[in-house]
Amino acid sequence: MILPELGSAIPGGRVLEITTTTGCIVGCSYCPQDKFAHRQRRVSHVKHLRLEDFKRCLARVPTSVDISFAGYSEPWLNPDCTEMVEHAYARGHGIRIFTTLVGMKGRDLHRLQALRSRVFVVHVLDDGAYMNSRLVGDKYLALIRQVVDIASIRFIVLGEIHPDIAGIIPAEALVRARPLSSRGGSVDPKVVEARQPVVGALTCVDGRQYRNVLLPNGDVTLCCMDFERRHVLGNLLRDEYADLFEKPVFSQIVDRMNGTDGFLLCRMCEYAHPKASAC
């Protein structure tokens, strides 16, 4: 799981977040990746988002929608990820990148530097408390040395930074954070305790109902909290982007956000606030 919360300060607009692959070797304990992979494999055998399918999906998306490479797994575990970024940029979309760098190569970074992304965040590997620290090898460290000199890139770590990386990234360049979300109650409660459900009408303080997630088989889920595919809005291999918000699934979500009874993932989400009653 990558942490697109750091991009929340970018004002307004809609976002389509890209999950390029099912399954992730980074192994963050605060990521319900196993639940996502289990649910996804039950509906599709497509593991990697194919480049041609990405292009077909993106052709249905207005260029006013930012494309965020983050999703439910490390984007660069898909070898076509850099070409996807370049394609989205060439079409005129705003680009957001959130990566651990795992799977990325030096030539990928060189190509990405040629683009002007709205945000580029590197989620740095920790000392093994939460992440798979065995991924920190010579190639990874060489890539860290390459990115640290790029002023536009921001760094975040949850927990303690891996000791081999600590001497490379200046302390003042590193944002330290704690696990930010239970992902709607999907994360192991021993790692992140779920919140008490919001009762009645609610609002998403981040407008995440319009920050949706494209999956490798073309399905689109509600937002980056929906690892278990509880609200699937449609499929961009067959649906137009605008149609996702006209279908009964999205209408039902809106009704339940306004207080109608029925399951709503948002009730367990840290970004949901009770809606103030009109006087």
Side-chain angles (χ1 to χ4, degrees), residues 45-196:
H45 295 297
V46 177
K47 180 176 181 181
H48 293 296
L49 175 60
R50 292 183 284 257
L51 179 60
E52 58 269 29
D53 286 343
F54 174 75
K55 290 180 178 180
R56 287 174 59 197
C57 291
L58 204 65
R60 301 177 183 271
V61 181
T63 56
S64 58
V65 178
D66 278 9
I67 304 302
S68 177
F69 291 86
Y72 301 151
S73 56
E74 165 53 52
W76 269 266
L77 292 175
N78 185 322
D80 291 327
C81 189
T82 298
E83 192 164 349
M84 292 179 191
V85 178
E86 291 172 333
H87 178 72
Y89 184 82
R91 287 193 76 247
H93 292 275
I95 300 298
R96 308 182 186 199
I97 295 173
F98 303 87
T99 175
T100 62
L101 301 180
V102 174
M104 191 181 290
K105 297 178 173 59
R107 61 178 177 269
D108 294 308
L109 185 60
H110 180 74
R111 289 162 65 182
L112 294 171
Q113 280 185 263
L115 312 179
R116 185 175 297 175
S117 57
R118 290 186 184 271
V119 61
F120 194 138
V121 174
V122 174
H123 179 180
V124 180
L125 293 178
D126 70 7
D127 60 0
Y130 296 114
M131 307 170 79
N132 183 1
S133 62
R134 291 174 296 177
L135 296 170
V136 179
D138 291 342
K139 291 182 179 179
Y140 182 84
L141 293 173
L143 199 57
I144 288 287
R145 291 188 182 95
Q146 188 175 345
V147 300
V148 77
D149 292 327
I150 303 173
S152 60
I153 293 182
R154 300 155 66 188
F155 300 90
I156 182 174
V157 65
L158 280 73
E160 295 299 322
I161 190 171
H162 191 283
D164 291 346
I165 304 173
I168 302 174
I169 301 175
E172 62 273 15
L174 189 65
V175 175
R176 296 180 180 272
R178 299 181 62 187
L180 303 175
S181 170
S182 69
R183 302 290 156 179
S186 292
V187 176
D188 184 342
K190 294 178 182 177
V191 179
V192 185
E193 187 175 351
R195 68 168 297 169
Q196 288 297 311

